[in-house]
Amino acid sequence: MLDIAIVGAGPAGLLTALRLHQQGFRPRIYESVQELKPLGVGVDIKVYGTQEIDEIGLLDEFRAISVDAEDSIFFNGYGQEIYAEKCGVHMGYLYEQRFVHRGTLQMLFYRTVLERLGADSIVLGARITGYRQDADSVTLELQHRDGRTEEVRHDAVIAADGINSAVRKQMHPESATPHYSGITMWRGVTVRKPFRGGHTILHIGDPRVSSMIIYPIADNVDGEGSQLINWVVEAERDETIEDWNQRGTVDEVLPYYDQVKIPFLDVQQLMRDAREVYLFPLIRHDPLDNWVEGRVVLLGDAAHAMYPRGGNGISQALVDARVITEKLVEYADPHEAFVAFDAERREPVNRIVMNMRGEGYEVIRRMVAERTDGKPFDDIEQVLPLAEADAIFSKYHALVGQPRPGWEAGQATGFRTWAETGVSR
Ligand SMILES: Cc1cc2nc3c(=O)[nH]c(=O)nc-3n(C[C@H](O)[C@H](O)[C@H](O)COP(=O)(O)OP(=O)(O)OC[C@H]3O[C@@H](n4cnc5c(N)ncnc54)[C@H](O)[C@@H]3O)c2cc1C
């Protein structure tokens, strides 16, 4: 059995370890931080991501820490409704779409790795600084927190060391320079009572100015029925530090939401009451033309860092974990397995990376803003016909690998307003 090293204990590395373990492998994970903590804010797990979590036997545990997404509503910069759709099983998919705190999900995977693979399967405080390889093995160079350096040998290496991947930088030195888009995300969480029953995602604003996404990520966080509400605001700013843990404040972006009136939620108050706010710039990492070098392969954000929009970064990483395992079962030679993984995954994921740089289905808010010259409208059907919006959404869902149920048969699946989704509140 191959002796495999995984670099990074993020969601991608941990799920890969669990998938490999299901097939009898005993991988070892090297993680640079000394202690894993539940960092980050919300992530949106798509239906295909929930399926991956089910397949490693963690669906019930995942349900217990996350929120079922029932419907999704789009508003212009005045709070006028543009479009609505149901989500997950409510739309007819086999799996739920669920919202969760990134750190809580990572901790679930972490605990499960410790239970199933044992405590010695993860080496914490071990930062990989480089690698070299011969025909039979890979030597990883690592630095411990106390300054000690060490070299470890494995038959093959899966690098899941995130957006600033040291392995990617060595494999593709030319990819080391990120390009800043000029747009920054303010990512916050606020504790408050559920709005609209607590299962809705909102998309608000004129994206030419600023854009806001809001969804609940945890239930009953205070023992009194309050939820943890995740919100993200995008606006122009020259932020260049690519660090998930960089703190920010809301003052700069509050004025963009002065005019938004939504009947069931005061979005300005939501921002003002934030428990914590982080900044994260949207950075373009150019899609790579190869994820493999000999017995080393890139996976997760290390392979395909994308704008953290729409939840595809994490959900695609979960798919990577399954496919890499399938290939390592199919091919005895790790290089052949990695090449087969690259052949199956790279092009489709690179398409998603490029699509996320655009606006995905959020483009409907831009279309409405442009067609109304940024003013309120009288009749949305005259501005953006429902059939046109439906076609945009169906194309996008198919792109990320979850074609809309019923769409092929010609059934329209979107709605004009949230009152029509049938998700009664
Ligand atoms: C602290 C943090 C907070 C985040 N918050 C959010 C969020 O709020 N919303 C969102 O959409 N996405 C967030 N992400 C990114 C999200 O987790 C990923 O997009 C997605 O889950 C794919 O995960 P990944 O495992 O490939 O990468 P990551 O989640 O980035 O995990 C990479 C892991 O590798 C470790 N690592 C890095 N370099 C080395 C090295 N040289 N040697 C050993 N280990 C190394 C890191 O410490 C980390 O644990 C966050 C990532 C991090 C690290």
Side-chain angles (χ1 to χ4, degrees):
M1 188 62 62
L2 279 178
D3 171 20
I4 299 169
I6 297 172
V7 184
L14 292 167
L15 200 77
T16 301
L18 291 171
R19 282 286 194 179
L20 287 170
H21 177 258
Q22 276 183 328
Q23 296 298 331
F25 293 95
R26 289 283 179 278
R28 170 162 284 199
I29 305 179
Y30 297 94
E31 164 58 51
S32 63
V33 302
Q34 188 66 52
E35 185 189 352
L36 280 178
K37 293 186 182 144
L39 297 175
V41 289
V43 286
D44 171 357
I45 303 294
K46 302 297 186 194
V47 291
Y48 65 91
T50 304
Q51 179 169 2
E52 301 296 333
I53 294 171
D54 184 28
E55 286 178 14
I56 48 156
L58 289 177
L59 188 55
D60 288 343
E61 291 85 344
F62 174 50
R63 283 185 175 140
I65 57 168
S66 60
V67 176
D68 181 30
E70 291 189 356
D71 59 2
S72 175
I73 313 171
F74 295 75
F75 298 91
N76 70 0
Y78 300 91
Q80 292 182 290
E81 289 169 61
I82 295 175
Y83 185 73
E85 65 169 352
K86 295 190 204 180
C87 303
V89 286
H90 310 279
M91 159 87 84
Y93 289 110
L94 291 178
Y95 280 89
E96 296 141 41
Q97 176 182 341
R98 300 195 72 93
F99 306 130
V100 67
H101 190 288
R102 178 233 176 235
T104 315
L105 182 61
Q106 184 189 16
M107 288 299 135
L108 169 61
F109 292 164
Y110 179 44
R111 280 197 308 278
T112 310
V113 166
L114 294 179
E115 280 163 28
R116 295 186 187 175
L117 282 81
D120 62 352
S121 63
I122 304 191
V123 185
L124 293 170
R127 187 165 66 86
I128 301 304
T129 54
Y131 64 89
R132 55 182 198 280
Q133 53 184 320
D134 54 34
D136 305 315
S137 67
V138 186
T139 302
L140 285 174
E141 296 148 16
L142 60 94
Q143 183 160 41
H144 293 279
R145 283 276 146 167
D146 58 11
R148 262 183 320 124
T149 56
E150 191 186 350
E151 294 194 341
V152 289
R153 272 173 69 130
H154 290 271
D155 296 332
V157 170
I158 298 172
D161 49 345
I163 43 173
N164 290 314
S165 166
V167 176
R168 186 192 66 227
K169 284 175 186 162
Q170 178 173 339
M171 192 186 287
H172 293 284
E174 75 290 349
S175 76
T177 324
H179 310 282
Y180 297 99
S181 64
I183 297 174
T184 290
M185 292 179 133
W186 281 252
R187 304 152 51 241
V189 283
T190 306
V191 175
R192 57 153 282 152
K193 289 284 181 265
F195 64 86
R196 270 201 92 230
H199 298 272
T200 297
I201 177 168
L202 308 177
H203 314 248
I204 304 165
D206 173 350
R208 300 172 309 170
V209 182
S210 176
S211 203
M212 183 171 195
I213 313 285
I214 304 170
Y215 54 87
I217 55 173
D219 287 325
N220 197 18
V221 288
D222 57 358
E224 293 175 10
S226 296
Q227 285 184 313
L228 194 59
I229 310 289
N230 183 79
W231 53 265
V232 181
V233 169
E234 285 186 19
E236 283 185 15
R237 187 187 213 246
D238 250 346
E239 183 56 65
T240 54
I241 301 170
E242 200 176 15
D243 174 3
W244 288 108
N245 300 317
Q246 193 190 169
R247 294 278 182 163
T249 62
V250 295
D251 304 342
E252 282 166 78
V253 286
L254 272 174
Y256 294 131
Y257 294 88
D258 275 350
Q259 305 210 51
V260 177
K261 298 272 176 297
I262 292 179
F264 47 81
L265 182 65
D266 179 340
V267 296
Q268 279 222 336
Q269 196 59 46
L270 181 76
M271 282 191 268
R272 277 197 219 97
D273 292 345
R275 191 176 78 176
E276 60 214 56
V277 180
Y278 299 96
L279 296 179
F280 191 77
L282 291 181
I283 311 255
R284 288 196 294 274
H285 289 273
D286 287 333
L288 300 172
D289 56 11
N290 182 10
W291 293 348
V292 184
E293 184 189 341
R295 292 169 167 252
V296 180
V297 68
L298 304 173
L299 172 149
D301 276 9
H304 45 72
M306 61 182 84
Y307 285 3
R309 283 174 171 162
N312 287 296
I314 188 159
S315 297
Q316 289 296 325
L318 304 185
V319 177
D320 285 352
R322 168 172 50 82
V323 177
I324 197 90
T325 304
E326 286 168 0
K327 301 304 177 196
L328 283 162
V329 169
E330 191 178 343
Y331 296 89
D333 175 43
H335 175 67
E336 281 180 33
F338 292 166
V339 168
F341 167 74
D342 177 285
E344 180 167 333
R345 294 288 295 146
R346 190 167 41 77
E347 276 188 27
V349 183
N350 280 349
R351 271 201 295 281
I352 297 173
V353 171
M354 295 311 289
N355 195 271
M356 289 299 120
R357 282 190 194 177
E359 291 157 315
Y361 51 56
E362 304 290 345
V363 74
I364 64 162
R365 287 185 289 117
R366 175 181 297 277
M367 291 164 72
V368 167
E370 283 170 358
R371 292 176 187 181
T372 57
D373 204 15
K375 301 204 171 66
F377 52 75
D378 292 327
D379 178 5
I380 183 62
E381 193 58 30
Q382 301 301 315
V383 179
L384 179 72
L386 183 59
E388 187 182 357
D390 257 347
I392 291 168
F393 275 75
S394 297
K395 188 176 129 209
Y396 172 82
H397 287 307
L399 173 89
V400 298
Q402 47 180 55
R404 268 178 158 184
W407 175 253
E408 293 290 318
Q411 292 164 20
T413 36
F415 302 90
R416 207 63 288 181
T417 68
W418 56 265
E420 294 167 40
T421 65
V423 178
S424 55
R425 298 280 166 242

